[in-house]
Amino acid sequence: MPLRSLLALASFLIALGARADAISYVDEVQPILTQKCVACHTCYDAPCQLNLGSEEGILRGASKQPVYDGTRTQAQATTRLYLDAQGEQAWRQRGFHSVLDGENGQAALIKRMLELGRSQPLEPNAKLPDNLDIAITRSNSCPLPGEFAAYAQKNPHGGMPFAVAGLSDGEYATLEQWLEQGARVSERALEPNAAELRQVEVWEKFLNAPGARQNLVSRWLYEHLFLAHLHFEGGEPGHFFQMVRSRTPSGKPIDPIATRRPNDDPGTEFYYRLWPVQGVIVHKTHITYPLSEDKLARIEELFFGDDWSLDAVPGYGAQRRANPFETFAAIPARARYQFMLDNAEYFVRTFIRGPVCRGQIATDVIRDNFWAFFQAPEHDLYITDADYQREATPLLAMPGQFDDIGDLLGLWRNYRDKRNEYEDLRKDAYADAPAADWSHIWSGNDNALLSIFRQYDSASVRKGLLGDIPQTLWWMDYPLLERTYYQLVVNFDVFGNVSHQAQTRLYFDLIRNGAEVNFLRLLPARSREGYLDDWYQNSGKLKMLLDYTSVDHRSASAIGLTGRDPRKQFAEQLLQRYASLNARPDPINRCTGARCYRDDLPRELQHVEQTLARLASRPAGGLRVIEQLPEATMLRVELSDGSREIYSVLRNRAHSNVAFMLGEELRYQPRLDTLTIYPEVLSSYPNFLFTVKASEIDAFVRQMEGVADAESFERIVERWGVRRSHPEFWRYFHDLAEHIRETQPQEAGVLDMNRYQNL
């Protein structure tokens, strides 16, 4: 046996024999799972639904039934951790099998998976075997204990951690001993501190106060905050809460009501409660929302400052779900819209990053990068014109409440026609209203301007205007914002069938079109048709004829743009006018002079950004390395003082249009792809990581500029890339989340590596 192997064996045996006392699940086992397993095993896209972010998840075990199945004809039972069942036996009755118990003399699945992974170590920082499928679309067999031998024979590299650098000797020894000791799992529930408990009491008292008006407002607030990770002023770092409906009142243990959707009938008397979020916080589902005394005062001002009445609290049902504008009509629309505007980033995150974990059902309807901003409430006719609101409200109903596959086409046409009737009504109403000018754009706080970046089946949202001026912009009013939220968050059922998901996707296409067309009202009438032709090229023109309404090419804009490219001129003026509202100077991607770096940087980092700017905002036709890059690459730059900066290198794929559900690759325009380079982690799902010393940045960029084919790109990967097999993969990977913790502490969470590619 080689000396290195002997030393490794000796180290392992020493580690294994060093402990005779009981291994603590909370203090020793869960940290290992968090470090080496949670990056794949959380949320609905966890392989085999095995969620290793909490004791409840590991006790629940695994299931052969995937959550993501775009072909199922029937909706399947929901399997939401902590909500749909509590306790190991309850999950067994729902078809989950243990990964901790042996069967018929066979060792526990988790033990055998770890042994298989350890028996097939990867070659350090080498590419994975070509026949090893690591795509998130792969079919996981999820073997039972009696099926494991056949699984191991067929999948020699199918052990855990899967297709990535494995456990250290000490980590493996700890888990081995824990399993030998019976794999005892204990719970350390999150305990709110005194300040949090006081605020929980205040909020629960408010939400459950008597009266019809309060009942309706609390219901609306719940439907808009059920997905949030709520945090309090003065709260402990890492302490978050979620709003639930419970059978029990404040002061009693929470007994959650597990309806399929948050706007389904709870079926019994209930109370709104704030429930501590348990388990490891993962970035992809960590959508934060602040609660405070000021926030409560703001809600009371918005929703109860005006005198409005309510004859009867509306019930539940499909029609109530389909049209929240009718359901909550008694609440002043101004209050509802302003509440959403106050924290617009949160709401856009919910439908961009929301409940689906794997979001292509929503993301393939949007461009790879665009900016979003909002219509001022005082210039939104749905809010200011009661007659218009009454006429528009019945037309704002949304599909997806019925999932009969045989009636999919009929359902779609019905809701499409309603939406188009609304668009015609809207077009005529705004043609008679004062022309839009800068005062029609909401600028109330730093949520007013947002940037969205899509990475194929996921996306991210940031305050401010990041990246080069995009091809499209969205101008959202209240009906657009609310419909998007209900369609993609409240009413979306990740466990639903193909009909439900198709209706969701098709209607979101109409919403996107509405936001783009609304933006065109700000541009000169003569320019609008040209931009539509650019956004809806080739097959997009057919979609315009079949499913969209005509656009107003006559009504004037009051902004007064006169250049040859008014879209660009508008964006430039937007950047200037709203600079104080977090419009974000972005000299790497929008370098207009000799200085292509941020202010107040040390000289070494100035040079890094000046050099990286050579790669930004250049079309792939002149920068061929873009063809080799995945959607979201992270660049870790090590400085001479031992610090580091992390940049996101995002590939913005160009499309002839994004108007169809299928065949997206047929609409790619790869020679028009560009890169956005920004000093933040702008994805929950890194696709690859480079680590480069600042002193080597010139060589790195020069080689990137010189890439002509896959072979020349692979030389860059060999020198600076961190492959899944890299001995220090986990240190580098988790350093990305540490960067978020340093710069945005409330937003920190474990990142997902399911999409980390084999470059």
Side-chain angles (χ1 to χ4, degrees), residues 588-601:
I588 298 177
N589 300 289
R590 300 194 299 265
C591 187
T592 57
R595 289 171 43 129
C596 302
Y597 50 82
R598 292 170 290 158
D599 294 335
D600 303 322
L601 292 181

PDB file of all heavy atoms in Angstrom, residues 588-601:
ATOM      1  N   ILE A 588     -17.892  49.148 -14.046  1.00  0.00           N
ATOM      2  CA  ILE A 588     -17.352  47.975 -14.738  1.00  0.00           C
ATOM      3  C   ILE A 588     -18.167  47.702 -15.998  1.00  0.00           C
ATOM      4  O   ILE A 588     -17.615  47.471 -17.079  1.00  0.00           O
ATOM      5  CB  ILE A 588     -17.364  46.743 -13.809  1.00  0.00           C
ATOM      6  CG1 ILE A 588     -16.479  46.984 -12.583  1.00  0.00           C
ATOM      7  CG2 ILE A 588     -16.892  45.499 -14.568  1.00  0.00           C
ATOM      8  CD1 ILE A 588     -16.488  45.842 -11.585  1.00  0.00           C
ATOM      9  N   ASN A 589     -19.490  47.749 -15.878  1.00  0.00           N
ATOM     10  CA  ASN A 589     -20.366  47.424 -17.012  1.00  0.00           C
ATOM     11  C   ASN A 589     -20.809  48.651 -17.805  1.00  0.00           C
ATOM     12  O   ASN A 589     -21.198  48.523 -18.961  1.00  0.00           O
ATOM     13  CB  ASN A 589     -21.609  46.693 -16.496  1.00  0.00           C
ATOM     14  CG  ASN A 589     -21.257  45.412 -15.776  1.00  0.00           C
ATOM     15  OD1 ASN A 589     -20.843  44.434 -16.384  1.00  0.00           O
ATOM     16  ND2 ASN A 589     -21.391  45.418 -14.451  1.00  0.00           N
ATOM     17  N   ARG A 590     -20.775  49.819 -17.170  1.00  0.00           N
ATOM     18  CA  ARG A 590     -21.194  51.053 -17.844  1.00  0.00           C
ATOM     19  C   ARG A 590     -20.060  52.073 -17.766  1.00  0.00           C
ATOM     20  O   ARG A 590     -20.233  53.178 -17.268  1.00  0.00           O
ATOM     21  CB  ARG A 590     -22.460  51.615 -17.196  1.00  0.00           C
ATOM     22  CG  ARG A 590     -23.657  50.704 -17.234  1.00  0.00           C
ATOM     23  CD  ARG A 590     -24.948  51.444 -16.897  1.00  0.00           C
ATOM     24  NE  ARG A 590     -24.963  52.028 -15.573  1.00  0.00           N
ATOM     25  CZ  ARG A 590     -25.481  51.460 -14.482  1.00  0.00           C
ATOM     26  NH1 ARG A 590     -26.022  50.257 -14.562  1.00  0.00           N
ATOM     27  NH2 ARG A 590     -25.464  52.080 -13.322  1.00  0.00           N
ATOM     28  N   CYS A 591     -18.925  51.685 -18.263  1.00  0.00           N
ATOM     29  CA  CYS A 591     -17.751  52.564 -18.201  1.00  0.00           C
ATOM     30  C   CYS A 591     -17.849  53.611 -19.307  1.00  0.00           C
ATOM     31  O   CYS A 591     -17.867  53.285 -20.491  1.00  0.00           O
ATOM     32  CB  CYS A 591     -16.469  51.754 -18.356  1.00  0.00           C
ATOM     33  SG  CYS A 591     -14.980  52.732 -18.082  1.00  0.00           S
ATOM     34  N   THR A 592     -17.927  54.872 -18.903  1.00  0.00           N
ATOM     35  CA  THR A 592     -18.090  55.951 -19.890  1.00  0.00           C
ATOM     36  C   THR A 592     -16.831  56.795 -20.058  1.00  0.00           C
ATOM     37  O   THR A 592     -16.807  57.705 -20.873  1.00  0.00           O
ATOM     38  CB  THR A 592     -19.244  56.868 -19.475  1.00  0.00           C
ATOM     39  OG1 THR A 592     -18.993  57.376 -18.155  1.00  0.00           O
ATOM     40  CG2 THR A 592     -20.564  56.099 -19.475  1.00  0.00           C
ATOM     41  N   GLY A 593     -15.803  56.506 -19.280  1.00  0.00           N
ATOM     42  CA  GLY A 593     -14.566  57.279 -19.366  1.00  0.00           C
ATOM     43  C   GLY A 593     -13.371  56.371 -19.189  1.00  0.00           C
ATOM     44  O   GLY A 593     -13.417  55.170 -19.481  1.00  0.00           O
ATOM     45  N   ALA A 594     -12.289  56.934 -18.677  1.00  0.00           N
ATOM     46  CA  ALA A 594     -11.062  56.169 -18.503  1.00  0.00           C
ATOM     47  C   ALA A 594     -11.088  55.335 -17.226  1.00  0.00           C
ATOM     48  O   ALA A 594     -10.372  54.344 -17.118  1.00  0.00           O
ATOM     49  CB  ALA A 594      -9.854  57.108 -18.486  1.00  0.00           C
ATOM     50  N   ARG A 595     -11.917  55.725 -16.235  1.00  0.00           N
ATOM     51  CA  ARG A 595     -11.964  55.028 -14.948  1.00  0.00           C
ATOM     52  C   ARG A 595     -13.112  54.027 -14.951  1.00  0.00           C
ATOM     53  O   ARG A 595     -14.283  54.408 -14.959  1.00  0.00           O
ATOM     54  CB  ARG A 595     -12.162  56.017 -13.803  1.00  0.00           C
ATOM     55  CG  ARG A 595     -10.938  56.887 -13.530  1.00  0.00           C
ATOM     56  CD  ARG A 595     -11.279  57.986 -12.523  1.00  0.00           C
ATOM     57  NE  ARG A 595     -12.079  57.495 -11.410  1.00  0.00           N
ATOM     58  CZ  ARG A 595     -11.782  57.693 -10.126  1.00  0.00           C
ATOM     59  NH1 ARG A 595     -10.692  58.369  -9.810  1.00  0.00           N
ATOM     60  NH2 ARG A 595     -12.562  57.241  -9.173  1.00  0.00           N
ATOM     61  N   CYS A 596     -12.760  52.743 -14.952  1.00  0.00           N
ATOM     62  CA  CYS A 596     -13.775  51.685 -15.002  1.00  0.00           C
ATOM     63  C   CYS A 596     -13.779  50.894 -13.700  1.00  0.00           C
ATOM     64  O   CYS A 596     -13.814  49.665 -13.704  1.00  0.00           O
ATOM     65  CB  CYS A 596     -13.513  50.759 -16.187  1.00  0.00           C
ATOM     66  SG  CYS A 596     -13.484  51.596 -17.783  1.00  0.00           S
ATOM     67  N   TYR A 597     -13.740  51.586 -12.595  1.00  0.00           N
ATOM     68  CA  TYR A 597     -13.748  50.934 -11.287  1.00  0.00           C
ATOM     69  C   TYR A 597     -14.498  51.812 -10.302  1.00  0.00           C
ATOM     70  O   TYR A 597     -14.692  53.008 -10.515  1.00  0.00           O
ATOM     71  CB  TYR A 597     -12.326  50.660 -10.790  1.00  0.00           C
ATOM     72  CG  TYR A 597     -11.391  51.848 -10.853  1.00  0.00           C
ATOM     73  CD1 TYR A 597     -11.381  52.818  -9.852  1.00  0.00           C
ATOM     74  CD2 TYR A 597     -10.516  52.015 -11.933  1.00  0.00           C
ATOM     75  CE1 TYR A 597     -10.526  53.916  -9.912  1.00  0.00           C
ATOM     76  CE2 TYR A 597      -9.663  53.104 -12.006  1.00  0.00           C
ATOM     77  CZ  TYR A 597      -9.668  54.045 -10.992  1.00  0.00           C
ATOM     78  OH  TYR A 597      -8.823  55.137 -11.058  1.00  0.00           O
ATOM     79  N   ARG A 598     -14.925  51.183  -9.191  1.00  0.00           N
ATOM     80  CA  ARG A 598     -15.679  51.897  -8.177  1.00  0.00           C
ATOM     81  C   ARG A 598     -14.798  52.898  -7.428  1.00  0.00           C
ATOM     82  O   ARG A 598     -13.574  52.756  -7.389  1.00  0.00           O
ATOM     83  CB  ARG A 598     -16.276  50.895  -7.179  1.00  0.00           C
ATOM     84  CG  ARG A 598     -17.354  50.001  -7.743  1.00  0.00           C
ATOM     85  CD  ARG A 598     -17.705  48.889  -6.754  1.00  0.00           C
ATOM     86  NE  ARG A 598     -16.622  47.914  -6.641  1.00  0.00           N
ATOM     87  CZ  ARG A 598     -16.446  47.104  -5.608  1.00  0.00           C
ATOM     88  NH1 ARG A 598     -17.284  47.157  -4.576  1.00  0.00           N
ATOM     89  NH2 ARG A 598     -15.457  46.233  -5.582  1.00  0.00           N
ATOM     90  N   ASP A 599     -15.442  53.873  -6.832  1.00  0.00           N
ATOM     91  CA  ASP A 599     -14.724  54.851  -6.025  1.00  0.00           C
ATOM     92  C   ASP A 599     -14.199  54.215  -4.741  1.00  0.00           C
ATOM     93  O   ASP A 599     -14.720  53.198  -4.274  1.00  0.00           O
ATOM     94  CB  ASP A 599     -15.639  56.027  -5.661  1.00  0.00           C
ATOM     95  CG  ASP A 599     -16.044  56.841  -6.884  1.00  0.00           C
ATOM     96  OD1 ASP A 599     -15.303  56.820  -7.884  1.00  0.00           O
ATOM     97  OD2 ASP A 599     -17.121  57.481  -6.829  1.00  0.00           O
ATOM     98  N   ASP A 600     -13.183  54.836  -4.184  1.00  0.00           N
ATOM     99  CA  ASP A 600     -12.677  54.496  -2.839  1.00  0.00           C
ATOM    100  C   ASP A 600     -12.163  53.071  -2.736  1.00  0.00           C
ATOM    101  O   ASP A 600     -12.272  52.430  -1.675  1.00  0.00           O
ATOM    102  CB  ASP A 600     -13.763  54.730  -1.784  1.00  0.00           C
ATOM    103  CG  ASP A 600     -14.284  56.163  -1.795  1.00  0.00           C
ATOM    104  OD1 ASP A 600     -13.464  57.085  -1.992  1.00  0.00           O
ATOM    105  OD2 ASP A 600     -15.503  56.347  -1.631  1.00  0.00           O
ATOM    106  N   LEU A 601     -11.594  52.555  -3.798  1.00  0.00           N
ATOM    107  CA  LEU A 601     -10.977  51.236  -3.745  1.00  0.00           C
ATOM    108  C   LEU A 601      -9.471  51.374  -3.587  1.00  0.00           C
ATOM    109  O   LEU A 601      -8.868  52.348  -4.068  1.00  0.00           O
ATOM    110  CB  LEU A 601     -11.260  50.449  -5.030  1.00  0.00           C
ATOM    111  CG  LEU A 601     -12.693  50.010  -5.307  1.00  0.00           C
ATOM    112  CD1 LEU A 601     -12.736  49.229  -6.611  1.00  0.00           C
ATOM    113  CD2 LEU A 601     -13.248  49.170  -4.175  1.00  0.00           C
TER     114      LEU A 601
END
